[in-house]
Amino acid sequence: MSSHYAYKTLAVEGPGADGVVEVALNRPDKLNAMNNQFWHDLRDCMRQIDRDSMARVAIVHQGSCRIFSAGLDIDPSQSGGLIAPSDDEDPGRRALAMAESIRLPQEAVSAIELCKKPVLVVVDGACIGGAVDLICACDMRYCTQRSYFCIKEVEVGLAADVGTLQRLPKIVGNDTLVRELAFTARKMPAEEAVQLGLVGSVQKDLAASLAHARGIAGVIASHSPLAVVGTKASLNFSREKSVQEGLDHVRMMNSAYLQSPDVPTAMIAQLQKQRATFAKL
């Protein structure tokens, strides 16, 4: 575990010399169920990666657990008020307390999307409920043949409220199938997930999927970090805006970024067929 990335529910390695950080979910005895501490750790870890000038890309995976994650920890003592709401007699005050309890997991998952650096995720086995929220906030998703995905919330009496319903339709572009998955809580196998576009590839097992993701992360980390963070910023901004608004945004951003020495450094390296070396952020 990296000494300056110390969390109770995550095991973090890196960033290494290549700038890659690996974030492993670390509650294997609880099937990586997401408790209140996990939401704090995920939010803080992603914010730390965002600020870390040595970090260029992150990979999230399940660590030593036999599945990716069982989703929300339903133990009331671990839920931070999500399962056992306030005992205040005033329903208005109970609702206000519940809204604040929901805000933390929302912020934690959104911290992945708001991190300037690309975040990849590797799934092996079950990815349930809140785990689907998590992967939907990542930039790229990969899985193994035995993986499946389940928007579980309706089956336990609630609407998913941590990002799946907002992000998944934009990822896959198939409103009917998203609604089917959300309304029925059925399991979507890996083969269907890759056909739908939820994941980029399906590998034989966890080792192969991690190797695939690490290869992609290494390529990303080899590019200008300014170019990479600028690309993520433009993609995220443009997803919610018109084409012209996206063009205006990237024009203003690149009017600054193109003044960086990263541009001539990259061009010279291309011409000389060598690997470029860029300064940290």
Side-chain angles (χ1 to χ4, degrees), residues 151 154 165 168-169 172 174-185:
I151 306 172
V154 293
L165 302 184
L168 185 59
V172 303
N174 187 328
D175 186 71
T176 295
L177 191 50
V178 169
R179 289 171 186 264
E180 177 190 313
L181 294 167
F183 292 153
T184 65

Side-chain angles (χ1 to χ4, degrees), residues 1 7-12 23-33 38 61-65 68:
M1 179 183 296
Y7 299 100
K8 294 180 179 178
T9 64
L10 301 173
V12 183
V23 180
L25 311 190
N26 194 29
R27 299 189 76 212
D29 56 325
K30 300 294 184 180
L31 296 180
N32 281 344
F38 171 81
H61 58 84
Q62 65 212 57
S64 62
C65 190
F68 182 75

Side-chain angles (χ1 to χ4, degrees), residues 1-6 12 14 48:
M1 179 183 296
S2 176
S3 59
H4 65 291
Y5 283 89
V12 183
Q48 188 171 356

